[in-house]
Amino acid sequence: MAKINLKALSKQELESFIKESGLPAFRAKQLLHWIYERHVRSISDITELSKDLRERLEGKAYISNLAMLDRRTSVDGTEKFLFGLEDSESIESVLIPDKDRLTLCISSQAGCAMVCRFCLTGAMGFRRNLQPHEISDQIIAVGRLIGPRKITNIVFMGMGEPLANFDNVVEALRRITGQMKISPNRITLSTSGIAPKITELAVKAPKVKLAVSLNATTDAVRDYIMPVNRKWPLKALMEACRNFPLPARSRVTFEYVLLKGVNDTPDDAKRLVGLLKGIPSKVNVIPFNPYPGSEFKRPDEKSVMGFQNILLNAHMTAIIRKSKGQDISAACGQLKARYL
Ligand code: SF4
């Protein structure tokens, strides 16, 4: 009989496994603590259990671990990790230091089916959804590799569209906020704009922060650069954002990748002000970082500043974000592309 991966079990499933194994309920608590807080690699490392019990459990169960295939560090301190999964698929996670923060950007799918035109992951295509433990395990694996430093924030902005893997992402969020005890305030989920799932997220998941990769102010442009817009156009997306329940003093983050001659005009900036009216929000303006073969160009400094100024003059919070880790293929999907 194939062994059971304890990390693949939800809290309830692990409790049932312990019960069916004829063990008292507190053993499940011990296992959860050692797996999610002490980050053990195997059952034999759980020294709180007797040697006999560890051997008995190892006869029918194991704890999976992500395999690190590649690790690179940028001159700006950004670190990229490429991890192998049990079926030989691979995913990437990116660690971004910023003042007193250490943010880990994690993947929710191997590849992505959303085919945003400015994204290399989109160009690589969709492989499969990640299981909940493959999502939360990125935090455990990177945490082990960077000790004694501690990850302070989590963003779902790596490979994949989190809301297209909804149930597994919600279960991963339960584990991250429950078993791993990371505050939902420190977690941001970024979506390309699956409007009905934004609404569902507010009901079913722990109360994490929301980011939306917006990148256009008209349906015509957004249809072209982000095909998700053909199904859920700007009106539906803005409505879902407007109704998303935010914790006090919290805002929705809108990411806006500036593509030269496509979405970077003063009229775009003015339309953006109108679109975000009534939504507590901040805008991250990200000048596009071209990669070999990309069809888009980076706008010049003057148009970036001009775009930002229109937002600032309308009393919006607008921050220009520089792409980090460019020297080690920073943007979404580039580490994997390099590895392949
Ligand atoms: S930007 Fe995000 S949603 Fe769009 S293709 Fe890339 S990974 Fe997928």
Side-chain angles (χ1 to χ4, degrees), residues 65-111:
N65 292 286
L66 296 177
M68 197 185 69
L69 303 178
D70 197 5
R71 177 180 183 175
R72 285 165 202 260
T73 306
S74 159
V75 287
D76 66 22
T78 303
E79 285 184 77
K80 319 282 173 185
F81 303 87
L82 183 70
F83 292 115
L85 308 175
E86 284 187 301
D87 62 354
S88 311
E89 290 296 343
S90 55
I91 51 167
E92 58 188 12
S93 316
V94 181
L95 187 70
I96 307 151
D98 188 15
K99 295 184 192 123
D100 52 346
R101 284 185 181 198
L102 196 51
T103 301
L104 184 67
C105 172
I106 59 176
S107 297
S108 55
Q109 296 179 310

Side-chain angles (χ1 to χ4, degrees), residues 37-275:
E37 291 182 74
R38 303 199 54 169
H39 302 172
V40 283
R41 301 186 74 89
S42 69
I43 293 172
S44 62
D45 291 340
I46 307 179
T47 49
E48 193 180 9
L49 306 180
S50 70
K51 197 160 176 280
D52 273 4
L53 181 51
R54 279 182 267 164
E55 280 172 6
R56 200 175 131 196
L57 286 171
E58 277 191 307
K60 55 181 174 180
Y62 73 104
I63 296 170
S64 68
N65 292 286
L66 296 177
M68 197 185 69
L69 303 178
D70 197 5
R71 177 180 183 175
R72 285 165 202 260
T73 306
S74 159
V75 287
D76 66 22
T78 303
E79 285 184 77
K80 319 282 173 185
F81 303 87
L82 183 70
F83 292 115
L85 308 175
E86 284 187 301
D87 62 354
S88 311
E89 290 296 343
S90 55
I91 51 167
E92 58 188 12
S93 316
V94 181
L95 187 70
I96 307 151
D98 188 15
K99 295 184 192 123
D100 52 346
R101 284 185 181 198
L102 196 51
T103 301
L104 184 67
C105 172
I106 59 176
S107 297
S108 55
Q109 296 179 310
C112 185
M114 308 311 283
V115 289
C116 304
R117 279 183 178 261
F118 51 83
C119 172
L120 198 53
T121 302
M124 286 192 300
F126 176 69
R127 305 288 299 179
R128 70 166 172 85
N129 281 330
L130 297 190
Q131 293 300 308
H133 68 283
E134 294 170 326
I135 299 170
S136 54
D137 227 11
Q138 295 168 63
I139 303 168
I140 293 177
V142 173
R144 271 195 209 120
L145 289 163
I146 63 163
R149 292 181 296 161
K150 291 256 182 285
I151 296 163
T152 61
N153 295 69
I154 308 290
V155 291
F156 283 71
M157 290 186 194
M159 299 170 79
E161 162 55 64
L163 298 185
N165 184 17
F166 188 83
D167 292 343
N168 289 346
V169 164
V170 170
E171 171 58 22
L173 284 171
R174 288 195 191 115
R175 292 183 196 187
I176 295 167
T177 56
Q179 280 89 279
M180 295 169 76
K181 300 189 168 57
I182 297 176
S183 162
N185 280 334
R186 294 183 173 272
I187 302 171
T188 302
L189 183 145
S190 175
T191 177
S192 60
I194 303 182
K197 292 290 177 189
I198 292 176
T199 309
E200 212 178 321
L201 184 76
V203 178
K204 295 190 174 161
K207 305 286 172 246
V208 296
K209 293 181 179 169
L210 179 70
V212 175
S213 184
L214 188 62
N215 311 316
T217 58
T218 65
D219 281 323
V221 173
R222 201 162 193 270
D223 280 357
Y224 179 71
I225 61 175
M226 301 184 74
V228 63
N229 196 72
R230 294 175 201 161
K231 199 155 183 196
W232 295 289
L234 282 167
K235 191 168 182 287
L237 175 57
M238 288 303 125
E239 178 134 344
C241 294
R242 201 162 274 117
N243 294 331
F244 190 80
L246 290 166
R249 294 187 301 281
S250 194
R251 293 182 280 187
V252 179
T253 301
F254 289 91
E255 278 131 19
Y256 198 99
V257 177
L258 276 182
L259 308 167
K260 186 176 180 176
V262 178
N263 63 0
D264 63 341
T265 64
D267 281 347
D268 280 302
K270 286 175 203 155
R271 275 193 297 267
L272 186 55
V273 172
L275 275 177

